[in-house]
Amino acid sequence: MTPDTLLGLANLTVPRKPDRSPTIYPDPLASPVTATQALSLPRLHTSELGALRELHETVARLVDGLLNGSSVDRAAARLTKLAQPSIATVRLDVGERQTVRARLAWSEPTPAATLARMVVVELGEIDVTRLKRCQRPACGLVFYDTTRSGTRRWHAESPCGNRERQRRYRSEHGSDETKPAR
Ligand SMILES: [Zn+2]
């Protein structure tokens, strides 16, 4: 599995730098419409944006801590608290031929509590050493490395992998040539 909710929240306001354009600082939590789209939520009220921003900042801090080795205790406690209103009841589902299955039915009190709980569950299931930040300096998006070798360096081959290879090739081979104006 890939921790899609975690990554979506961690990357929500990471600046983007399109080629030959100024850096964009996205802020989808500025309005219910953009927040709904960015987080794939059914609908939102303006009053729910504050809790979602707190969740976003908590997840970003937690991921930063996991990536740079600093303490994540406070961020983890904050995330736990945000997830707390989302509670589950257990039910027993009966299938064919007397098979039974236990299932958790979650309450969905607020969008922030639901997303916080999803992030906690994702963090419990993934290998956190595979959480990485894209190594293209202009990018900075966080991704989950699902390669068998665990050696992926870019959030995507296009554009980041391709651009970084071009840049490295130019810096290694470009010294004898007239360098293009940058
Ligand atoms: Zn990237």
Side-chain angles (χ1 to χ4, degrees), residues 6-116:
L6 168 77
L7 294 177
L9 282 161
N11 288 329
L12 210 52
T13 58
V14 171
R16 316 284 151 93
K17 171 82 179 77
D19 270 351
R20 286 179 279 277
S21 306
T23 302
I24 300 163
Y25 296 90
D27 186 14
L29 296 179
S31 89
V33 175
T34 49
T36 299
Q37 289 164 354
L39 295 169
S40 309
L41 294 166
R43 62 191 168 310
L44 275 176
H45 191 261
T46 311
S47 63
E48 291 165 325
L49 293 174
L52 287 170
R53 188 172 297 280
E54 188 183 358
L55 173 63
H56 156 60
E57 288 169 1
T58 302
V59 171
R61 266 201 303 276
L62 184 72
V63 169
D64 278 346
L66 291 171
L67 291 178
N68 65 30
S70 62
S71 169
V72 295
D73 292 354
R74 281 181 62 184
R78 193 71 217 143
L79 184 62
T80 299
K81 188 145 194 185
L82 286 166
Q84 227 159 36
S86 179
I87 54 172
T89 50
V90 68
R91 54 173 295 166
L92 191 63
D93 287 344
V94 180
E96 287 175 25
R97 293 183 208 161
Q98 312 301 94
T99 55
V100 293
R101 205 164 72 99
R103 193 163 65 85
L104 291 179
W106 288 96
S107 71
E108 312 293 1
T110 63
T114 296
L115 290 176

Side-chain angles (χ1 to χ4, degrees), residues 134-136 139-141 154-156 159-161:
C134 183
Q135 285 187 24
R136 182 177 163 232
C139 180
L141 288 173
W154 300 289
H155 89 275
C160 294

